[in-house]
Amino acid sequence: MQSHNVGTPIASSHALPQASKDTLAVLDHLIGTHAQRLVRRFYDAFLEDADGAAFLSHQMVETRLVHSLRQWLIDLFVSADTEAQRKIGEVHARIKLPFGLVIKGAALLKAEMSDLLIKSELDRAALASTLVFVDARMDWAMGLMSEAYMQGSMRRAQVDEAFRLFAVGQDVSLTRETQNAALMEWLQSILFPLLEGTSNADLVPLAKSTFGLWFHHRAGLIFQGAPGLEVIHSNLKQIDTIVLPKLQESRPTNGEEMRKLLARLRELVEEIKFVLSDLFQSIAGVEGGRDPLTRALNRRFLPTILGREVSIASSTGTPFTILMIDVDHFKQINDRWGHSTGDMVLQQVADVVMDTVRFNDFVFRYGGEEFLIALVEAGVNEGYEIAERVRARLAERRLRLSDGNHVQVTASVGVASYSGHPDYVQLVDAADRALYEAKHSGRNRTVVSQEAFAGTP
Amino acid sequence: MQSHNVGTPIASSHALPQASKDTLAVLDHLIGTHAQRLVRRFYDAFLEDADGAAFLSHQMVETRLVHSLRQWLIDLFVSADTEAQRKIGEVHARIKLPFGLVIKGAALLKAEMSDLLIKSELDRAALASTLVFVDARMDWAMGLMSEAYMQGSMRRAQVDEAFRLFAVGQDVSLTRETQNAALMEWLQSILFPLLEGTSNADLVPLAKSTFGLWFHHRAGLIFQGAPGLEVIHSNLKQIDTIVLPKLQESRPTNGEEMRKLLARLRELVEEIKFVLSDLFQSIAGVEGGRDPLTRALNRRFLPTILGREVSIASSTGTPFTILMIDVDHFKQINDRWGHSTGDMVLQQVADVVMDTVRFNDFVFRYGGEEFLIALVEAGVNEGYEIAERVRARLAERRLRLSDGNHVQVTASVGVASYSGHPDYVQLVDAADRALYEAKHSGRNRTVVSQEAFAGTP
């Protein structure tokens, strides 16, 4: 370790940037004179911006925001209230205003204020220090807002996910049947008046039916972002805005046209049913935390576990090692005996792995025939030992095939230990490269990553 | 609506702030000459900072970061690569670097660069435009980083929560027994050598036992932030750093001291068992999405549902109304007949509410005897009708008591409709104020909030 010249420390407590009395007086005057114009230009720009406009209406700007922003500017350069900045960050998080927009907004205000300052009578030195101060004070506010914003957004993401899983965990098969029935019920409510020739009976839009309301207000929560949602949404829209109005119009005068429209309606509804059934199918598989075949952990949890273990290792100084295990020549097994045999082999490989590691280790299915194991509080030597034990047990085990025959497989292993880098992805990459080496130097062997990040612990 | 003078538009695409050739040349020269010093001061400040130091080591700074930051500075003012800024944001999210620190770091660099520029020969105009440009370019990078950072962090929070719920959903009672047994097993491994007087047998630290590893690497995920965790952690530490070393030291020479230490050990282990059992108890209740008594939704999901409904209302223009329902004089029921009768009454009130609202509405238990109902796609009139229906049905219903008697209760209702404010908390507050009015104007009535935010839809 060497000695360092210490520069300006980053204040952990978000210290408020200070300015001379003169600078404050200049800004006081500037804001007093131009606040209205600054604020107006700010919101004009915001309302012109597609992202920004989604959060604002002209009315809101007129009745409230113009006043609030003006007050914020005054407060920022006079009283500089820490809590006020945090509060704003919280509200922004609650309304899901993208933080990039907040930063852009601040940049806009800075630019406008700089413009005014440059046009002022200030001399070189005073101008420069005022520009620097305006910038620093704004950044101070951004720093506080961003903290509150992040906290609020993370908490929200957490609760959203909890609700989604709760909704998924509710009786899904019941929901599927209920909604199928609701869709059919709506269809009947359309078809009977048409068949009976009841003229003028209003056709209820699908979007307003029980099914439509469920779809708009619940399905999005359960199937978050699934592409199928778009299909249903578009079919729903087509039915309500094209097919239904035309049906209403054409009956009872035009039989041919009506037949066509009914065929189209049927098609659209059938597709909704089909896609919906697919969506329900998909969550049945994905929501489990474990890979259904091998019972190993789902790899989507890797960031949670590895991120956490890396930060435990970093803060407590305990070692942490990961193994990347890949079955050798697995493709040949699949090709020769078929996929269901391949699956049986994988299941037994996973059993060997899980029986060999310790109770508190984490075993993930990483890819087709690849497993990633997080060995908690294990250094590189212990990691190597466990890897070799897995490899040796696997090599001597006779795995059952469905036809009663047996097969033997080997595996290659890459080992990498935490060595100071805070990003777990680096660790995974190092293990991956070690595995690659194990493969290319003949397979059925363990290779330890020699990469050390900034010296080993 | 009125016409607006349009100011500088906020570029939705994070347009890159541009500068004249002269300005770029000045910065090129400045960075070429002083990059080393800028970077050095930056990291010195960072390493001095408690929050910052948690993410860095002197070695990391020396071997990699000094170089990367230098390159970033050069790139930022020359090639200004958009993707590079996003990548940095992603990595920061992955290592959970607080975004406030990133903003502080940028402020530090800006301050140092401004210092150098002010000390240069630049005239007033050139100095001012260079200062403004440095600031704008840095903010451009912060804007991009923040977007990638927020995306990464939200995804992470989501996956973390999914894993936590998965872990909780695993066989919790089995885990409870397993870990109790593991703790007892460790205790035996300590007691037997002591009783047998086996000298020199090493006493395994609790932290290294199966229980200790489970506690450090799994329990934190399951009981996230529960205060009990701290208690166990501190007991574990006391056992390993004080009690065990003293036991090892005192045996077999000092019988009296040993008895004291064993009593202390027992005490600490008992407390761990007690707190742990409490922790397991607590998740059994909380994790359900519904209030166990009334089967209404848990209010922790309010942000998810109301936030979502407000944004659906805002983007599609459909109405949205909430009701706040409070049972009148509920305290008297509790006082007169006791809490279990009060609970029965609440259950039946909840049944009336849930039977009266529509299939797709959301009913939350908001407080002791208070319910919040989110009426999707319902305007203020429909909201009032539903509220009145609930109120009337409740007033005429005879509710059963446990002793076979009956009681009648009334409720007051506050109604508020979405009227343009993006923050759902405003809507809840408006309904709350309407409810307050209903209470204070005599109870057993519905009051509609007259507050309109920036005009009604």
Side-chain angles (χ1 to χ4, degrees), chain A residues 4-5 8 10 44-45 49 94 110 122 124 135 139 150 160 208 217-218 304 309 361 377 423, chain B residues 5 8 10 44-45 49 94 110 122 124 135 139 150 160 208 217-218 304 309 361 377 423:
Chain A
H4 284 266
N5 297 319
T8 327
I10 308 173
D44 287 346
D49 179 80
R94 218 148 54 207
K110 283 177 184 177
L122 291 174
R124 183 184 183 279
D135 183 34
D139 285 351
M150 278 306 305
D160 284 2
K208 297 290 165 204
H217 298 273
R218 306 252 176 173
T304 299
E309 289 300 329
D361 297 328
E377 301 199 16
D423 186 358
Chain B
N5 295 320
T8 328
I10 307 175
D44 287 346
D49 179 79
R94 218 148 54 206
K110 283 177 184 176
L122 291 174
R124 183 185 184 280
D135 183 34
D139 285 352
M150 299 293 165
D160 284 2
K208 296 291 166 202
H217 298 273
R218 305 252 177 172
T304 300
E309 288 301 330
D361 297 328
E377 302 198 17
D423 187 358

Side-chain angles (χ1 to χ4, degrees), chain B residues 128-345:
Chain B
S129 66
T130 311
L131 286 174
V132 169
F133 172 68
V134 165
D135 183 34
R137 197 46 90 76
M138 287 268 207
D139 285 352
W140 169 83
M142 290 302 111
L144 289 167
M145 277 185 210
S146 79
E147 273 183 7
Y149 182 92
M150 299 293 165
Q151 266 169 26
S153 301
M154 307 272 284
R155 210 164 28 224
R156 171 72 168 274
Q158 210 176 39
V159 173
D160 284 2
E161 179 67 5
F163 182 80
R164 192 180 71 80
L165 292 171
F166 161 70
V168 170
Q170 296 293 87
D171 201 339
V172 172
S173 46
L174 182 65
T175 308
R176 180 212 293 248
E177 295 315 316
T178 315
Q179 291 313 318
N180 236 328
L183 182 58
M184 293 305 98
E185 211 170 288
W186 170 83
L187 193 57
Q188 279 179 25
S189 81
I190 297 298
L191 295 181
F192 278 115
L194 289 173
L195 287 169
E196 292 161 358
T198 327
S199 58
N200 287 337
D202 261 351
L203 304 178
V204 180
L206 182 50
K208 296 291 166 202
S209 71
T210 300
F211 174 81
L213 288 177
W214 173 81
F215 179 73
H216 277 127
H217 298 273
R218 305 252 177 172
L221 282 162
I222 302 179
F223 305 116
Q224 229 167 37
L229 288 177
E230 259 318 299
V231 178
I232 298 181
H233 186 80
S234 129
N235 284 16
L236 230 142
K237 213 168 161 183
Q238 262 191 69
I239 290 173
D240 283 351
T241 61
I242 302 175
V243 181
L244 283 195
K246 281 195 181 163
L247 269 173
Q248 190 111 23
E249 207 176 90
S250 70
R251 76 172 171 179
T253 51
N254 189 336
E256 178 55 27
E257 169 75 1
M258 215 176 105
R259 256 187 300 280
K260 268 192 204 159
L261 287 168
L262 284 175
R264 180 76 189 124
L265 177 61
R266 189 176 185 168
E267 214 172 82
L268 290 167
V269 169
E270 284 303 316
E271 195 178 24
I272 290 178
K273 279 170 69 179
F274 180 79
V275 172
L276 199 63
S277 144
D278 237 34
L279 284 172
F280 274 110
Q281 201 71 42
S282 70
I283 54 169
V286 174
E287 289 310 324
R290 295 188 180 277
D291 167 49
L293 176 66
T294 61
R295 309 297 303 149
L297 286 168
N298 197 307
R299 70 172 276 172
R300 79 182 175 114
F301 293 141
L302 271 179
T304 300
I305 301 303
L306 298 190
R308 204 179 128 81
E309 288 301 330
V310 160
S311 89
I312 290 176
S314 146
S315 64
T316 64
T318 49
F320 172 52
T321 295
I322 67 171
L323 309 182
M324 196 77 98
I325 302 182
D326 192 272
V327 181
D328 295 328
H329 299 302
F330 185 72
K331 196 177 168 303
Q332 291 176 12
I333 296 172
N334 263 339
D335 288 352
R336 182 158 163 204
W337 283 292
H339 281 280
S340 72
T341 299
D343 283 355
M344 278 192 76
V345 168

Side-chain angles (χ1 to χ4, degrees), chain B residues 390-420:
Chain B
V390 170
R391 195 193 55 72
R393 282 197 191 171
L394 204 57
E396 72 200 15
R397 176 79 55 101
R398 288 159 40 107
L399 306 174
R400 273 167 297 110
L401 299 188
S402 44
D403 59 6
N405 284 325
H406 288 81
V407 71
Q408 279 184 295
V409 296
T410 59
S412 304
V413 191
V415 182
S417 272
Y418 169 75
S419 59

Side-chain angles (χ1 to χ4, degrees), chain A residues 397-418:
Chain A
R397 177 78 56 99
R398 287 160 40 110
L399 307 174
R400 273 166 297 109
L401 299 189
S402 45
D403 59 6
N405 284 325
H406 288 81
V407 72
Q408 281 184 292
V409 297
T410 60
S412 304
V413 191
V415 181
S417 273
Y418 169 74

Side-chain angles (χ1 to χ4, degrees), chain A residues 140-157:
Chain A
W140 168 83
M142 290 301 113
L144 289 167
M145 277 184 209
S146 79
E147 273 182 9
Y149 182 92
M150 278 306 305
Q151 268 169 26
S153 301
M154 307 270 286
R155 214 169 20 231
R156 173 72 168 275

